[in-house]
Amino acid sequence: MDRSDNYDSNKFIDLARKAADERSLNIGRPLTYHVTTFGCQMNARDSEKLRGILEEIGYQPSDIEDADLVVYNTCSVRENANLKVYGRLGVLNGYKKKNPRMKIALCGCMMQEETVVEKLRESYRFVDLVFGTHNIYKFAEYIYEILCEDGLHVHIEKDSPVIYEELPKKRTYAFKSGINIMFGCNNFCSYCIVPYVRGREKSRDPHDIIREIEELAADGVVEVMLLGQNVNSYGRGLEGEPTFAQLLRDVNEISGIERIRFMTSHPKDLSDELIDAMAECDKVCDHLHLPLQSGSSRLLADMNRHYDKESYLGLVEKIRSRIPDITLTTDIIVGYPGETEEDFLDTMDVVRRVEYDSAFTFLYSKRTGTPAATRDDQIEEAVAKERFNRLLALVQELGHKRSERFTGRTMDVLVEEINRQDESLVTGRLTNNSVVHFPGDESDIGHIVSVKLSQCMGFYYLGERV
Ligand code: SAH
Ligand code: SF4
Ligand code: F3S
């Protein structure tokens, strides 16, 4: 993969820093920023890059109302996500009226939709900067621009020809971090907007990934989450075609790293080699997120998912026989165009047979530009909602039952924070990602503690240190 080594982001960080220094001299304090993130882990990681660049320029974090620069990193996977952003923009306009120095920047997946940018140009003139998912590495250049010249600046690119490696990052957590291993998606599931807003799939060079994780480990990170829309196809197009399984084994060797997670695994590309690597690598967490989308083979074919009900169930059986304790979670869409009661019962059947530990359930949302949106057999909202409620009830019932299986056991908990309701408790996660609360203090944060899970409260546990 060609790397964009000839773009000098540092040059623009320097220019923006000079412009920001001038401003802050005038107002007698440093400039401030606030970044709000919508959507998935990819966006969360992108926001860490945005914060990294902002802090290099000299901006300091603040409340949204007082910020000199507000950034919304948007998601467009479902229509609700877009509506939420428009709603928040109304509120931001109010803040900006009280604080006219405020600049507003919008970026992320939603900005890659042409109709969104048109709407912003027409009806949201108080926005200062719009940029897309392919040019985050030029953020400093854009900040420099808006500091020098008022008005709306729009920078959207159709795809990224390169992967830009050298960007500062400001981590949300000291002890855990997401790492992009690939960008974009080539799968074109019929309902999904991601391939259109994130561009074609590109894997990062394994050496760059390993180097980044080594640096993170040296900086105190113990848990990494390897990120890609379909990590199972990692390495395609790279020299030597490295596989995701190989990458997992290499990350497993990095000292200081204790836990390895990854998101997301497409069932069509989940290899035996990967199941072996998961079983054999001691740091890889006992958790697999394996999106089902639908249990109906007919709908799965229409969705362009390249697996069917039987092959999915077969895959689950194979994984469970190799890694018996594994926690399985999933994503399911209800109300896909043409979904019959029979199709839906197939979904219920798979859920009952797999017994997921938990599942994200979504009402199908029509995304303009995707093949499924052009279908004339869209499902009535009331029908979809009724099915959704039935599915949710089943998912919750099975989830409760599944989590009971760990009650009474002593397991490792990575402590993440002080409990938000009760300061005498800390909150952490098991390797299967379940939440555990137990007595502790600040000094436990970022450490792995052995905890007896004394009580299962449905979706979380109460425990005691052993
Ligand atoms: N790359 C991941 C998914 C990313 S989007 C994968 O293939 O598993 C996260 C989830 O959003 C998807 O798994 C799907 O369940 C849901 N989703 C995507 N498009 C949707 C749509 N148009 N309506 C409802 N849910 C959708
Ligand atoms: Fe969307 Fe499918 Fe790509 Fe996942 S694999 S991001 S659901 S197109
Ligand atoms: Fe949303 Fe973009 Fe992620 S559409 S789910 S933020 S890749």
Side-chain angles (χ1 to χ4, degrees):
M1 175 66 53
D2 187 13
R3 293 161 72 196
S4 176
D5 285 332
N6 43 17
Y7 181 83
D8 187 359
S9 71
N10 285 328
K11 179 178 114 192
F12 289 104
I13 288 178
D14 286 343
L15 280 172
R17 192 186 295 121
K18 282 194 192 106
D21 281 352
E22 236 169 75
R23 286 281 166 113
S24 77
L25 263 180
N26 284 339
I27 58 174
R29 58 161 177 81
L31 296 186
T32 55
Y33 78 89
H34 188 93
V35 177
T36 304
T37 312
F38 301 87
C40 66
Q41 305 276 351
M42 300 275 177
N43 261 18
R45 185 61 173 158
D46 284 347
S47 287
E48 295 187 342
K49 297 174 188 166
L50 299 172
R51 289 193 182 94
I53 294 171
L54 282 162
E55 298 209 357
E56 287 276 309
I57 292 172
Y59 280 84
Q60 292 187 359
S62 76
D63 287 345
I64 192 161
E65 286 103 313
D66 308 318
D68 297 308
L69 177 59
V70 172
V71 185
Y72 272 4
N73 189 6
T74 63
C75 167
S76 57
V77 75
R78 283 168 290 275
E79 198 190 359
N80 270 349
N82 289 39
L83 296 178
K84 210 188 284 172
V85 169
Y86 288 124
R88 297 275 194 96
L89 276 177
V91 179
L92 265 194
N93 194 18
Y95 294 155
K96 190 163 176 167
K97 282 187 181 138
K98 279 190 226 144
N99 170 14
R101 222 179 358 238
M102 179 185 277
K103 301 264 183 199
I104 298 174
L106 303 177
C107 62
C109 296
M110 203 177 141
M111 300 306 124
Q112 295 291 142
E113 289 185 80
E114 271 169 37
T115 50
V116 168
V117 178
E118 272 164 36
K119 188 166 166 173
L120 292 170
R121 280 188 200 276
E122 273 166 30
S123 318
Y124 294 81
R125 298 295 306 177
F126 55 93
V127 171
D128 300 278
L129 169 64
V130 168
F131 62 103
T133 55
H134 302 301
N135 39 355
I136 282 183
Y137 65 98
K138 294 186 178 165
F139 187 38
E141 181 179 339
Y142 303 152
I143 295 175
Y144 177 62
E145 241 180 60
I146 60 170
L147 283 174
C148 295
E149 197 188 325
D150 287 342
L152 173 63
H153 298 252
V154 177
H155 295 282
I156 305 294
E157 287 167 20
K158 288 268 179 248
D159 206 344
S160 13
V162 290
I163 295 176
Y164 193 81
E165 287 289 341
E166 311 302 332
L167 282 184
K169 296 161 195 102
K170 169 86 192 305
R171 287 203 311 278
T172 312
Y173 297 92
F175 55 89
K176 68 171 182 178
S177 181
I179 288 107
N180 301 105
I181 64 164
M182 58 211 293
F183 300 92
C185 181
N186 283 356
N187 293 305
F188 291 95
C189 302
S190 63
Y191 49 81
C192 184
I193 201 168
V194 171
Y196 306 91
V197 296
R198 284 273 171 178
R200 293 295 60 74
E201 184 181 288
K202 287 174 208 71
S203 294
R204 277 177 78 194
D205 187 297
H207 302 100
D208 289 330
I209 297 170
I210 297 296
R211 190 173 38 109
E212 182 177 354
I213 300 177
E214 283 169 350
E215 285 168 9
L216 288 167
D219 197 32
V221 165
V222 291
E223 179 177 299
V224 289
M225 163 87 89
L226 310 178
L227 300 171
Q229 294 300 347
N230 175 13
V231 294
N232 299 340
S233 66
Y234 171 77
R236 280 183 203 161
L238 287 184
E239 208 184 302
E241 302 253 327
T243 62
F244 181 56
Q246 189 53 52
L247 183 70
L248 268 190
R249 289 185 191 276
D250 291 345
V251 177
N252 198 59
E253 295 302 311
I254 299 177
S255 68
I257 297 299
E258 308 270 359
R259 286 182 171 183
I260 305 166
R261 301 186 185 281
F262 53 87
M263 278 274 247
T264 300
S265 262
H266 195 308
K268 79 179 166 68
D269 297 311
L270 200 145
S271 64
D272 291 353
E273 188 200 359
L274 177 63
I275 300 174
D276 285 343
M278 288 180 69
E280 287 160 23
C281 293
D282 56 326
K283 297 177 182 174
V284 173
C285 290
D286 292 338
H287 175 206
L288 182 65
H289 186 67
L290 194 63
L292 169 68
Q293 313 302 2
S294 168
S296 153
S297 296
R298 189 180 75 83
L299 290 193
L300 285 168
D302 199 87
M303 288 175 167
N304 196 29
R305 290 290 288 179
H306 298 280
Y307 54 87
D308 60 16
K309 179 180 179 183
E310 295 313 317
S311 62
Y312 185 95
L313 287 169
L315 185 60
V316 166
E317 209 177 288
K318 192 153 68 174
I319 295 162
R320 283 240 169 92
S321 68
R322 191 82 169 81
I323 314 169
D325 246 355
I326 198 156
T327 284
L328 290 177
T329 57
T330 199
D331 291 346
I332 299 169
I333 298 176
V334 177
Y336 180 81
E339 183 186 72
T340 62
E341 177 66 14
E342 202 185 345
D343 292 319
F344 175 68
L345 290 178
D346 271 329
T347 299
M348 294 286 273
D349 186 42
V350 175
V351 170
R352 223 172 260 119
R353 283 160 72 173
V354 174
E355 296 199 339
Y356 295 103
D357 289 77
S358 73
F360 294 105
T361 49
F362 304 108
L363 273 174
Y364 168 75
S365 170
K366 190 169 157 179
R367 307 312 288 128
T368 308
T370 63
T374 62
R375 305 241 325 220
D376 52 16
D377 50 358
Q378 304 285 330
I379 300 296
E380 243 178 82
E381 201 178 317
V383 174
K385 277 198 172 147
E386 188 277 329
R387 288 180 188 157
F388 181 90
N389 291 339
R390 259 190 287 162
L391 175 66
L392 192 64
L394 178 64
V395 161
Q396 289 180 343
E397 180 199 320
L398 295 171
H400 281 247
K401 189 176 127 195
R402 285 286 292 171
S403 38
E404 281 291 354
R405 76 198 151 115
F406 293 128
T407 312
R409 279 213 225 172
T410 296
M411 297 176 89
D412 283 347
V413 176
L414 173 60
V415 181
E416 301 204 328
E417 57 190 10
I418 299 288
N419 187 293
R420 287 176 201 177
Q421 267 90 48
D422 179 347
E423 282 188 8
S424 70
L425 301 178
V426 289
T427 299
R429 286 177 190 272
L430 299 177
T431 106
N432 79 357
N433 216 28
S434 294
V435 170
V436 183
H437 307 292
F438 68 97
D441 60 38
E442 196 90 30
S443 67
D444 293 315
I445 295 176
H447 295 285
I448 293 178
V449 179
S450 199
V451 176
K452 180 164 183 208
L453 309 176
S454 21
Q455 228 182 321
C456 174
M457 309 297 287
F459 293 108
Y460 63 91
Y461 299 91
L462 295 178
E464 33 249 46
R465 189 186 301 257
V466 291

